[in-house]
Amino acid sequence: MNRRAERAGRDLQDRLDQLERVAAIGEHRLPDDLVADAGSVVERARTRLGRGADRTVVALAGATGSGKSSVFNALVGEDLAPVGVRRPTTSTARAAVFDAADALEAGTADLLDWLQVPQRHVVGSRDLDGLVLLDLPDHDSVARAHREEVDRLVEVVDAFAWVVDPQKYADAALHDQYLRRFAGHAAVTIVVLNQIDLVPEGERRGVADHLGRLLEEDGLRKVRVVPTSTLTQEGVDVLRRELAARAAERRAVVARLGADIDVLVERLDAAVPDREPGPVGDRGRRSLADAFAEAAGADAVADAVGAAHRRRAAQHVGWPPTRWVGRLRPDPLRRLGLDRVRPDRTTETVPRTSRPAPSVVADARLGRALREAAEDAGAGLPEPWQRRLAGVAVERRDDVADALDRQVGATELPVAPARWWSVVSGLQWILAGLMAIGLLWLIVIGVVAWFRLPDLPTPELGEVPYPTAMAIGGAVLGLLVSAIARALASVGARRRAAAARRTLTRAVAQTADQLVADPLDEELEAMAELTRTVRRL
C-alpha cells in the first residue's frame, strides 16, 4: 500500500473514531435510526478493515438480461456463471478470486466467509491480482431472495460495476433503488454499458452520453462509463484495465467506507445546529435562583429572622420589669423549625423545617422559570434538542421541595445575640436595681412615718429626696434606654433580615444549580461536543 493510501487509511480510522463518538453521544439526542446507522457503519467498517485492504471486492450487478454473467465470464476467461436471456439464472453470488499465485489465501477465504459467498473460483492472473469479482443475482429478479441477496451485498462490497444494456439503461428501478441511493459512492462506481454491439456504430456515442447525463441527474458525476460487448469482446480489455487499476491502488476499501461516512454525515449535518450550544447564562441562573428562593419562602424566613431578632433583643435589653411579657409571644423561628442549631461540617443529619408549602403563585413562578431556562438554553437549536432540554429542566422537579427544605434547614442564619446586648442588659439591671433601692427606701420611710417613729435622715438631691430620685430616675432612665435599644434592635432586625434573605438566596441558588442549571449545562456540553464532532467528520 502506497503512502497516499496509508494516509487515507489513517484518516478513515480517525473518522471512524469520531463517528463512534457521535453514536455514543447521540443516544437520545439524535433520531434512533441515525444513531443505529452510525453504529452500523462503524461496525461494518471496522469488520471490513480487520480483514485487510489487499483485496478489492467489486460487485457486478445488473438487471435481468443485461448480460452481467456474460461480462463476469469474459473477465474470468471461463464460463463459470450460467447465462440466460429472459429469466434470471444467478440465484446466489459467486466469486472469482484473481491471484498471481493461483491460490486462495486464508485471509481471502475469511473475507468471503464474512461476505457469505460460498461459491468461489481462483483465477491465476497477474494483471488483476488482488481483485475479488462477485457476480450478483439480478436486482430486478422475480425471486425475493435474489433481491435480498443483492441488497445485502451492495452494503458491504468495496466497489460497484453496474451492468446495463442499451434497451433498459434508463430503467427506473435501477436508478431509483440503487444508483441514486449510492450517489455518494461515485469514486467506487463503474457503469458497464453492455451489449453495445446491438447499437449502430453511429449511435453508440449518443447512447453513452445520454446514459452519462442520467447518471449525473442521479448525483453520480464523473463516473466512468465503459461500453462493452461480450459477443465481439469490444471494451472487455478496457474494463479489465479499469478493474486492474482499482485493484492495484488498494484504495477502494477506504474510498467505499469513506463514502459511507460521507453519506451519513449529510444526514448528521441536518440533525445538528449551525452553532455550538453554550452553557446556561448568568441571567438564567439568577432567574432560577430567584424562583427557587421564592419557592423556599426566603422572604418569610427573612421576616422571621427579623422578628426573632426584635423579640430576643427585647428579652435582653428591654425594661426588666416588663421583659416577661415578650416571652408570651411565640418565637417566629421556632414556628418555622429554624430555632435549632445549624449542623456543622461533621454533622450529616440536616434538621427538617416546618415551613409552609410554597404558595400557588410561587409554584407557578418556579414552573415558569424552569421552562424559561430550557427555552433560553435551547434558543436556535433543533426542536428535538429543545424538547430534550425541557425534559432535563423538569426532570427533578419532584425533588425541589425536599431539596429546598434541606438547604434552608442547613443554612446558617444570622441569629446570634448582638454584642451590645450584654452591655445594655447590664445597664438596665443597674437602673432597675437603682429603682428598686429607691422604692424600698421610700417604703421604709413610709413605714417609719406610719408607726410615728422618729424621721429617718433622708439626703436630698437639690429639693428631691434621694430615694425619690433613685426610684423615678431608675424607672425613667430604664424606659428611655429600653426605647433607644428597641430602635437600635429594629435597625439590626432589618439588616439581619436582609442578610438572611441574601444568604438563603445564595444557598438555594446552589440547589437550583444542582437540580436544573448544572444538568442543563451537562446536556448542552454533550450537544456541543456532538456538534463539534459532526463538523469534524
Side-chain angles (χ1 to χ4, degrees), residues 443-455:
I443 291 172
V444 171
I445 292 175
V447 171
V448 169
W450 188 74
F451 283 105
R452 299 181 183 275
L453 297 175
D455 292 337

Side-chain angles (χ1 to χ4, degrees), residues 437-524:
I437 293 172
L439 289 174
L440 182 60
W441 196 343
L442 289 175
I443 291 172
V444 171
I445 292 175
V447 171
V448 169
W450 188 74
F451 283 105
R452 299 181 183 275
L453 297 175
D455 292 337
L456 295 176
T458 304
E460 295 182 351
L461 183 62
E463 296 182 358
V464 180
Y466 263 34
T468 302
M470 292 172 64
I472 296 175
V476 171
L477 290 176
L479 291 172
L480 179 61
V481 170
S482 178
I484 295 173
R486 189 180 301 111
L488 294 175
S490 296
V491 174
R494 289 193 294 272
R495 290 179 177 176
R496 291 201 174 197
R501 190 175 291 105
R502 290 192 300 269
T503 301
L504 284 171
T505 300
R506 286 194 298 267
V508 299
Q510 298 175 7
T511 302
D513 289 345
Q514 180 183 358
L515 297 184
V516 183
D518 291 345
L520 281 175
D521 275 351
E522 292 176 7
E523 182 61 32
L524 288 165

